[in-house]
Amino acid sequence: MSNTRAACVIGWPAKQSRSPKLHGYWIKRHGIDGDYRIEERSPEEFPAFVTNLAGNGYVGANITMPHKDAALALSEPDARARSVGAANTLWLDNGRLRSTNTDVEGFIGALDAAAPGWHERTESAVVLGAGGASRAVVYGFIERGVKTVHVVNRTFEKAVALRERFGPSVQPAHWSDLPRLLDGAKLLANATSLGMTGQGDLAIDLGAVADDCVVADAIYVPLKTPLLAAAEKRGLKTSNGLDMLLHQAVRGFELWFNVRPQVTRELYNLLATDITRT
Ligand code: ATR
């Protein structure tokens, strides 16, 4: 019997996933007898597949659209996955199917790399969007001690729902509140799909933000969104969606292959080339 440990990404569709390239790089780098594959499974197929992960040959998995809610319900989530309301990483722990949400550390890890110590000088943040990505960002900010997180969303009720989920640190806001909120802002994160190739534009004036404001964007196609281009022009520190993707992958790899890998410039460039080419 083979000793190869294998993990996979499960999604519908999943062909476009960059995770095999990323985990494949670390598997090779660390000389691990391992594999990482794509498993496209429909919502109907997902429960049977994931609850028999070992039988399907896997020690763990990444979960992507549209299965993150189902993965949470079908596994034993940690506090982080439960609070965010979605699981993106599964692993087998003595036969138990456990889950976490590594989008939180993806976002926070990317910020730590771009602007070390950011949280020590940041009392409040502005987050655009109130969907799944936003929940991970807001959770991460609160966990790091950011006292007030202004959540700006087109559908105001969804921003209110984040306050109900995470408590009074969350201040729901309307898009029209942005000029006031950005005046002197030290931390701005885009967790909407605006700025993504093929989606609408995110037109934001960064003129009034603090000179040491940090700007993060969860989007990675394109790598440099118009928001990040404007932030760079203004001389601000930035992190992009690829930084997040790489940092969110670290914990899963560690759980499955028992090695904590590094996010390196070489790895970034490998994935960036792939994204730019397609
Ligand atoms: P994800 O899981 O990536 O966060 P999502 O849950 O669909 O995806 O959330 C998408 C976010 O982008 C939402 O905050 C959405 O705003 P609504 O809640 O009002 O839908 C935001 N978004 C998408 N298109 C938008 C647009 N054209 N203008 C403003 N916000 C938009």
Side-chain angles (χ1 to χ4, degrees):
M1 207 178 129
S2 160
N3 288 324
T4 306
R5 290 172 76 80
C8 61
V9 53
I10 314 173
W12 182 257
K15 275 195 199 75
Q16 78 294 350
S17 172
R18 260 116 193 160
S19 293
K21 188 160 241 158
L22 155 55
H23 287 288
Y25 170 90
W26 282 330
I27 286 170
K28 199 164 161 211
R29 182 86 206 265
H30 292 283
I32 289 167
D33 181 7
D35 199 6
Y36 187 101
R37 298 190 282 269
I38 290 177
E39 293 283 359
E40 282 203 324
R41 291 290 179 271
S42 69
E44 292 72 34
E45 296 167 316
F46 181 74
F49 186 85
V50 85
T51 50
N52 186 27
L53 210 52
N56 286 310
Y58 294 110
V59 297
N62 280 131
I63 307 299
T64 184
M65 297 289 279
H67 301 315
K68 290 185 183 183
D69 294 1
L72 184 76
L74 293 163
S75 61
E76 290 179 42
D78 66 2
R80 195 171 265 199
R82 210 176 302 118
S83 297
V84 174
N88 78 334
T89 301
L90 300 175
W91 76 102
L92 287 166
D93 179 9
N94 289 319
R96 288 157 60 208
L97 183 62
R98 301 190 53 196
S99 67
T100 185
N101 187 311
T102 66
D103 287 336
V104 176
E105 58 230 77
F107 200 83
I108 299 299
L111 272 181
D112 285 344
W118 60 272
H119 57 288
E120 286 151 22
R121 45 183 190 271
T122 310
E123 296 247 306
S124 79
V126 178
V127 175
L128 309 176
S134 172
R135 295 203 303 271
V137 172
V138 171
Y139 180 91
F141 283 174
I142 294 173
E143 195 183 56
R144 272 298 179 87
V146 176
K147 291 196 176 67
T148 308
V149 183
H150 301 280
V151 174
V152 179
N153 200 47
R154 175 179 60 179
T155 313
F156 184 70
E157 298 73 45
K158 281 173 72 181
V160 173
L162 259 64
R163 183 183 174 92
E164 281 154 15
R165 176 178 284 274
F166 295 118
S169 307
V170 173
Q171 297 281 326
H174 296 277
W175 214 255
S176 55
D177 295 323
L178 254 188
R180 173 179 61 81
L181 296 176
L182 289 179
D183 193 357
K186 289 187 158 238
L187 182 57
L188 169 65
N190 176 39
T192 72
S193 40
L194 293 175
M196 192 186 296
T197 303
Q199 302 286 323
D201 287 339
L202 179 58
I204 284 194
D205 185 354
L206 295 177
V209 301
D211 288 340
D212 61 351
C213 180
V214 182
V215 179
D217 202 325
I219 289 167
Y220 64 84
V221 184
L223 286 170
K224 195 186 286 185
T225 59
L227 175 67
L228 295 183
E232 277 183 18
K233 203 165 160 205
R234 173 86 163 65
L236 308 177
K237 293 203 164 110
T238 62
S239 75
N240 69 16
L242 178 55
D243 296 316
M244 281 186 66
L245 178 75
L246 301 179
H247 284 277
Q248 72 74 31
V250 169
R251 179 95 201 288
F253 191 91
E254 185 180 25
L255 286 164
W256 309 321
F257 300 116
N258 303 315
V259 175
R260 190 165 178 84
Q262 295 292 315
V263 174
T264 60
R265 190 41 46 186
E266 184 184 60
L267 176 60
Y268 181 96
N269 289 339
L270 181 76
L271 274 285
T273 305
D274 196 50
I275 289 166
T276 311
R277 199 173 44 223
T278 53

